[in-house]
Amino acid sequence: RVVAEYDGFYYAHQRSQSPLPRWQTPSMVTGWRLTGTDGMKETIRIGKETGIRVVGSHIKAKGPSTWGHSAIDILLIERARREGVQVYLDQYPYETFGGGPTGVIPPWAFAPPGTDWSGGIDADIEYLMVDLYGGPERLIVVHAPSQPDLVGRTLAEVAAARGTTPLQQLIDFAMAGSDSLPHGVLVRPIAGHSFDVENYMRQEFTATSTDGGVSLRTRPGQHPRYYGTYPRKIAHYVKERHVIGLPFAARSSSGLPAQIIGLPDRGYIREGYKADLVLFDFERIRDRATILQPDRYPVGIEYVLVNGEFTVDGATLTGKLPGRVLDRGKAKTADAGRRISRH
């Protein structure tokens, strides 16, 4: 309610975009399971009770048990918006989630000997492997220091080649692990489904996001979203899949985020607006970042202007830094350097 007085907004990672909250495994669960529907309802309720703009941030349906969940979220949001609640989503355009590579065996399995745990390791690994991460065919090995030939292969492929089950293979990896890498290997899960990614993307209230910051040091298994999000949305979902049109993609990546945040002079090409512009070759634009090579730059982006100055000129970085820290409550922004030194 206080935020409403400042025309602010609220954005939340939904409490659960998977069968269980992130901190739980089946062996820990008693009673009612929190679901993504509960999280979306909570976000909507906050918007309804306070009147502020609310955002379900980097929305997803994670794991086969929740595939198709986008339809429920969209119905809830459409009803709320008809009632006047300002509900939005943001999304990065991939079927893989999480910033970096991960392990599959639950953390409690590495507790010191003698620790009293009530659950079964097999059930929890099975849940993480299948219900949360998409299944052994969708778990890609991205880090295996002692067995580098496994990198790029799925858990299903490794298990089949060794004549064992995916569950046992994960345990075998861990048994050969180390203090610095108890899982033995790290994987990247492809836990989403194209239906949900595209269903969320088609909505006029869904903005584009990366859910990532500036990434200067990368490694195989890091999410390709850091380098590929915006060109991927155009190259894959506009040009190849025809899920949305180019104007729709541009608005979701510029005007809509500015509207949600409350920036009155950015996000559109209009007289009096800040000259933040991206000029790209529609035929050539393409993301090149992959799971194993996440730091590959896109192609087809020829010019970028920030506050009217070229930061990319002829597809080459200029080194200029004309950006400013934005203060939405004042007509002009304070110099970023002075603001940092004061605080």
mmCIF file of all heavy atoms in Angstrom, residues 169-197:
data_model
loop_
_atom_site.group_PDB
_atom_site.id
_atom_site.type_symbol
_atom_site.label_atom_id
_atom_site.label_comp_id
_atom_site.label_asym_id
_atom_site.label_seq_id
_atom_site.Cartn_x
_atom_site.Cartn_y
_atom_site.Cartn_z
ATOM 1 N N GLN A 169 22.939 -44.372 -12.411
ATOM 2 C CA GLN A 169 24.044 -43.627 -12.998
ATOM 3 C C GLN A 169 24.325 -42.360 -12.205
ATOM 4 O O GLN A 169 25.486 -41.988 -11.987
ATOM 5 C CB GLN A 169 23.750 -43.276 -14.452
ATOM 6 C CG GLN A 169 24.890 -42.591 -15.177
ATOM 7 C CD GLN A 169 26.154 -43.420 -15.170
ATOM 8 O OE1 GLN A 169 26.197 -44.520 -15.706
ATOM 9 N NE2 GLN A 169 27.206 -42.898 -14.530
ATOM 10 N N LEU A 170 23.275 -41.684 -11.764
ATOM 11 C CA LEU A 170 23.478 -40.497 -10.927
ATOM 12 C C LEU A 170 24.197 -40.854 -9.632
ATOM 13 O O LEU A 170 25.078 -40.126 -9.178
ATOM 14 C CB LEU A 170 22.129 -39.837 -10.630
ATOM 15 C CG LEU A 170 21.459 -39.110 -11.787
ATOM 16 C CD1 LEU A 170 20.037 -38.706 -11.410
ATOM 17 C CD2 LEU A 170 22.258 -37.879 -12.188
ATOM 18 N N ILE A 171 23.811 -41.974 -9.035
ATOM 19 C CA ILE A 171 24.473 -42.414 -7.804
ATOM 20 C C ILE A 171 25.924 -42.772 -8.085
ATOM 21 O O ILE A 171 26.831 -42.446 -7.303
ATOM 22 C CB ILE A 171 23.702 -43.605 -7.196
ATOM 23 C CG1 ILE A 171 22.306 -43.140 -6.753
ATOM 24 C CG2 ILE A 171 24.471 -44.196 -6.015
ATOM 25 C CD1 ILE A 171 21.402 -44.248 -6.275
ATOM 26 N N ASP A 172 26.176 -43.433 -9.233
ATOM 27 C CA ASP A 172 27.559 -43.784 -9.592
ATOM 28 C C ASP A 172 28.403 -42.511 -9.770
ATOM 29 O O ASP A 172 29.572 -42.470 -9.359
ATOM 30 C CB ASP A 172 27.574 -44.599 -10.884
ATOM 31 C CG ASP A 172 26.995 -46.000 -10.702
ATOM 32 O OD1 ASP A 172 26.828 -46.426 -9.537
ATOM 33 O OD2 ASP A 172 26.695 -46.658 -11.719
ATOM 34 N N PHE A 173 27.817 -41.506 -10.405
ATOM 35 C CA PHE A 173 28.539 -40.238 -10.542
ATOM 36 C C PHE A 173 28.927 -39.696 -9.172
ATOM 37 O O PHE A 173 30.064 -39.255 -8.955
ATOM 38 C CB PHE A 173 27.667 -39.216 -11.272
ATOM 39 C CG PHE A 173 27.589 -39.373 -12.761
ATOM 40 C CD1 PHE A 173 26.424 -39.063 -13.442
ATOM 41 C CD2 PHE A 173 28.680 -39.815 -13.489
ATOM 42 C CE1 PHE A 173 26.340 -39.198 -14.821
ATOM 43 C CE2 PHE A 173 28.616 -39.949 -14.874
ATOM 44 C CZ PHE A 173 27.440 -39.643 -15.539
ATOM 45 N N ALA A 174 27.971 -39.689 -8.254
ATOM 46 C CA ALA A 174 28.212 -39.127 -6.924
ATOM 47 C C ALA A 174 29.253 -39.947 -6.150
ATOM 48 O O ALA A 174 30.083 -39.391 -5.421
ATOM 49 C CB ALA A 174 26.908 -39.049 -6.143
ATOM 50 N N MET A 175 29.218 -41.269 -6.306
ATOM 51 C CA MET A 175 30.177 -42.116 -5.600
ATOM 52 C C MET A 175 31.605 -41.841 -6.060
ATOM 53 O O MET A 175 32.562 -42.054 -5.318
ATOM 54 C CB MET A 175 29.828 -43.588 -5.825
ATOM 55 C CG MET A 175 28.504 -44.010 -5.198
ATOM 56 S SD MET A 175 28.470 -43.833 -3.404
ATOM 57 C CE MET A 175 29.630 -45.107 -2.912
ATOM 58 N N ALA A 176 31.742 -41.345 -7.298
ATOM 59 C CA ALA A 176 33.074 -41.015 -7.816
ATOM 60 C C ALA A 176 33.365 -39.522 -7.704
ATOM 61 O O ALA A 176 34.349 -39.039 -8.265
ATOM 62 C CB ALA A 176 33.176 -41.456 -9.282
ATOM 63 N N GLY A 177 32.511 -38.797 -6.968
ATOM 64 C CA GLY A 177 32.662 -37.351 -6.840
ATOM 65 C C GLY A 177 33.772 -36.964 -5.874
ATOM 66 O O GLY A 177 34.509 -37.803 -5.365
ATOM 67 N N SER A 178 33.856 -35.673 -5.600
ATOM 68 C CA SER A 178 34.893 -35.132 -4.718
ATOM 69 C C SER A 178 34.268 -34.114 -3.784
ATOM 70 O O SER A 178 33.090 -33.750 -3.928
ATOM 71 C CB SER A 178 35.989 -34.471 -5.550
ATOM 72 O OG SER A 178 35.453 -33.377 -6.288
ATOM 73 N N ASP A 179 35.061 -33.622 -2.850
ATOM 74 C CA ASP A 179 34.554 -32.602 -1.929
ATOM 75 C C ASP A 179 34.124 -31.347 -2.683
ATOM 76 O O ASP A 179 33.163 -30.686 -2.309
ATOM 77 C CB ASP A 179 35.619 -32.242 -0.900
ATOM 78 C CG ASP A 179 35.862 -33.370 0.090
ATOM 79 O OD1 ASP A 179 34.994 -34.259 0.189
ATOM 80 O OD2 ASP A 179 36.923 -33.368 0.749
ATOM 81 N N SER A 180 34.855 -31.004 -3.737
ATOM 82 C CA SER A 180 34.517 -29.806 -4.504
ATOM 83 C C SER A 180 33.381 -30.046 -5.495
ATOM 84 O O SER A 180 32.740 -29.100 -5.942
ATOM 85 C CB SER A 180 35.755 -29.304 -5.267
ATOM 86 O OG SER A 180 36.224 -30.287 -6.167
ATOM 87 N N LEU A 181 33.119 -31.287 -5.836
ATOM 88 C CA LEU A 181 32.047 -31.615 -6.768
ATOM 89 C C LEU A 181 31.380 -32.917 -6.311
ATOM 90 O O LEU A 181 31.579 -33.986 -6.892
ATOM 91 C CB LEU A 181 32.587 -31.766 -8.199
ATOM 92 C CG LEU A 181 31.544 -31.945 -9.313
ATOM 93 C CD1 LEU A 181 30.633 -30.727 -9.418
ATOM 94 C CD2 LEU A 181 32.228 -32.214 -10.639
ATOM 95 N N PRO A 182 30.578 -32.840 -5.249
ATOM 96 C CA PRO A 182 30.012 -34.070 -4.678
ATOM 97 C C PRO A 182 29.105 -34.835 -5.626
ATOM 98 O O PRO A 182 28.963 -36.052 -5.506
ATOM 99 C CB PRO A 182 29.246 -33.568 -3.444
ATOM 100 C CG PRO A 182 29.049 -32.108 -3.670
ATOM 101 C CD PRO A 182 30.204 -31.648 -4.478
ATOM 102 N N HIS A 183 28.477 -34.132 -6.588
ATOM 103 C CA HIS A 183 27.604 -34.829 -7.534
ATOM 104 C C HIS A 183 28.394 -35.624 -8.576
ATOM 105 O O HIS A 183 27.827 -36.448 -9.282
ATOM 106 C CB HIS A 183 26.704 -33.835 -8.261
ATOM 107 C CG HIS A 183 25.714 -33.140 -7.379
ATOM 108 N ND1 HIS A 183 26.003 -31.960 -6.733
ATOM 109 C CD2 HIS A 183 24.442 -33.456 -7.033
ATOM 110 C CE1 HIS A 183 24.953 -31.566 -6.039
ATOM 111 N NE2 HIS A 183 23.991 -32.459 -6.192
ATOM 112 N N GLY A 184 29.678 -35.341 -8.709
ATOM 113 C CA GLY A 184 30.483 -36.002 -9.719
ATOM 114 C C GLY A 184 30.420 -35.322 -11.068
ATOM 115 O O GLY A 184 31.436 -35.154 -11.749
ATOM 116 N N VAL A 185 29.229 -34.921 -11.483
ATOM 117 C CA VAL A 185 29.021 -34.166 -12.719
ATOM 118 C C VAL A 185 27.952 -33.111 -12.456
ATOM 119 O O VAL A 185 27.211 -33.190 -11.475
ATOM 120 C CB VAL A 185 28.565 -35.064 -13.904
ATOM 121 C CG1 VAL A 185 29.555 -36.175 -14.170
ATOM 122 C CG2 VAL A 185 27.166 -35.625 -13.657
ATOM 123 N N LEU A 186 27.874 -32.125 -13.329
ATOM 124 C CA LEU A 186 26.796 -31.143 -13.297
ATOM 125 C C LEU A 186 26.037 -31.225 -14.623
ATOM 126 O O LEU A 186 26.612 -31.562 -15.658
ATOM 127 C CB LEU A 186 27.343 -29.732 -13.075
ATOM 128 C CG LEU A 186 28.026 -29.474 -11.731
ATOM 129 C CD1 LEU A 186 28.574 -28.054 -11.680
ATOM 130 C CD2 LEU A 186 27.080 -29.731 -10.564
ATOM 131 N N VAL A 187 24.770 -30.905 -14.563
ATOM 132 C CA VAL A 187 23.917 -31.031 -15.740
ATOM 133 C C VAL A 187 23.148 -29.742 -15.962
ATOM 134 O O VAL A 187 23.053 -28.884 -15.082
ATOM 135 C CB VAL A 187 22.911 -32.198 -15.585
ATOM 136 C CG1 VAL A 187 23.638 -33.513 -15.410
ATOM 137 C CG2 VAL A 187 21.960 -31.946 -14.403
ATOM 138 N N ARG A 188 22.603 -29.594 -17.169
ATOM 139 C CA ARG A 188 21.618 -28.551 -17.452
ATOM 140 C C ARG A 188 20.326 -29.233 -17.843
ATOM 141 O O ARG A 188 20.281 -29.978 -18.817
ATOM 142 C CB ARG A 188 22.065 -27.601 -18.559
ATOM 143 C CG ARG A 188 20.910 -26.693 -19.034
ATOM 144 C CD ARG A 188 21.355 -25.390 -19.619
ATOM 145 N NE ARG A 188 21.867 -24.500 -18.587
ATOM 146 C CZ ARG A 188 21.078 -23.797 -17.745
ATOM 147 N NH1 ARG A 188 19.772 -23.907 -17.802
ATOM 148 N NH2 ARG A 188 21.605 -22.994 -16.852
ATOM 149 N N PRO A 189 19.241 -28.985 -17.097
ATOM 150 C CA PRO A 189 17.959 -29.605 -17.425
ATOM 151 C C PRO A 189 17.166 -28.786 -18.450
ATOM 152 O O PRO A 189 17.174 -27.555 -18.417
ATOM 153 C CB PRO A 189 17.234 -29.624 -16.078
ATOM 154 C CG PRO A 189 17.819 -28.468 -15.322
ATOM 155 C CD PRO A 189 19.230 -28.284 -15.815
ATOM 156 N N ILE A 190 16.514 -29.474 -19.356
ATOM 157 C CA ILE A 190 15.565 -28.844 -20.278
ATOM 158 C C ILE A 190 14.181 -29.171 -19.730
ATOM 159 O O ILE A 190 13.515 -30.120 -20.159
ATOM 160 C CB ILE A 190 15.717 -29.375 -21.717
ATOM 161 C CG1 ILE A 190 17.196 -29.409 -22.126
ATOM 162 C CG2 ILE A 190 14.898 -28.530 -22.684
ATOM 163 C CD1 ILE A 190 17.855 -28.053 -22.186
ATOM 164 N N ALA A 191 13.743 -28.409 -18.748
ATOM 165 C CA ALA A 191 12.572 -28.788 -17.946
ATOM 166 C C ALA A 191 11.273 -28.192 -18.440
ATOM 167 O O ALA A 191 10.208 -28.502 -17.903
ATOM 168 C CB ALA A 191 12.798 -28.386 -16.485
ATOM 169 N N GLY A 192 11.323 -27.306 -19.437
ATOM 170 C CA GLY A 192 10.106 -26.679 -19.926
ATOM 171 C C GLY A 192 9.573 -27.357 -21.172
ATOM 172 O O GLY A 192 10.222 -28.223 -21.767
ATOM 173 N N HIS A 193 8.381 -26.942 -21.579
ATOM 174 C CA HIS A 193 7.752 -27.457 -22.792
ATOM 175 C C HIS A 193 7.437 -26.283 -23.710
ATOM 176 O O HIS A 193 7.043 -25.203 -23.243
ATOM 177 C CB HIS A 193 6.463 -28.221 -22.447
ATOM 178 C CG HIS A 193 5.927 -29.041 -23.571
ATOM 179 N ND1 HIS A 193 5.255 -28.484 -24.652
ATOM 180 C CD2 HIS A 193 5.967 -30.385 -23.801
ATOM 181 C CE1 HIS A 193 4.899 -29.447 -25.488
ATOM 182 N NE2 HIS A 193 5.324 -30.607 -25.002
ATOM 183 N N SER A 194 7.584 -26.514 -25.004
ATOM 184 C CA SER A 194 7.341 -25.435 -25.966
ATOM 185 C C SER A 194 5.924 -24.875 -25.854
ATOM 186 O O SER A 194 5.707 -23.683 -26.085
ATOM 187 C CB SER A 194 7.605 -25.920 -27.387
ATOM 188 O OG SER A 194 6.753 -27.016 -27.709
ATOM 189 N N PHE A 195 4.952 -25.720 -25.482
ATOM 190 C CA PHE A 195 3.570 -25.232 -25.366
ATOM 191 C C PHE A 195 3.488 -24.080 -24.382
ATOM 192 O O PHE A 195 2.887 -23.038 -24.670
ATOM 193 C CB PHE A 195 2.639 -26.361 -24.925
ATOM 194 C CG PHE A 195 1.258 -25.873 -24.555
ATOM 195 C CD1 PHE A 195 0.307 -25.611 -25.536
ATOM 196 C CD2 PHE A 195 0.916 -25.630 -23.230
ATOM 197 C CE1 PHE A 195 -0.949 -25.128 -25.202
ATOM 198 C CE2 PHE A 195 -0.341 -25.151 -22.886
ATOM 199 C CZ PHE A 195 -1.282 -24.904 -23.881
ATOM 200 N N ASP A 196 4.072 -24.255 -23.209
ATOM 201 C CA ASP A 196 3.973 -23.218 -22.181
ATOM 202 C C ASP A 196 4.801 -21.989 -22.538
ATOM 203 O O ASP A 196 4.343 -20.860 -22.352
ATOM 204 C CB ASP A 196 4.414 -23.787 -20.831
ATOM 205 C CG ASP A 196 3.468 -24.853 -20.327
ATOM 206 O OD1 ASP A 196 2.286 -24.548 -20.097
ATOM 207 O OD2 ASP A 196 3.910 -26.010 -20.180
ATOM 208 N N VAL A 197 6.015 -22.201 -23.032
ATOM 209 C CA VAL A 197 6.841 -21.063 -23.418
ATOM 210 C C VAL A 197 6.103 -20.198 -24.435
ATOM 211 O O VAL A 197 6.031 -18.966 -24.308
ATOM 212 C CB VAL A 197 8.193 -21.542 -23.999
ATOM 213 C CG1 VAL A 197 8.982 -20.359 -24.552
ATOM 214 C CG2 VAL A 197 9.010 -22.264 -22.934
#
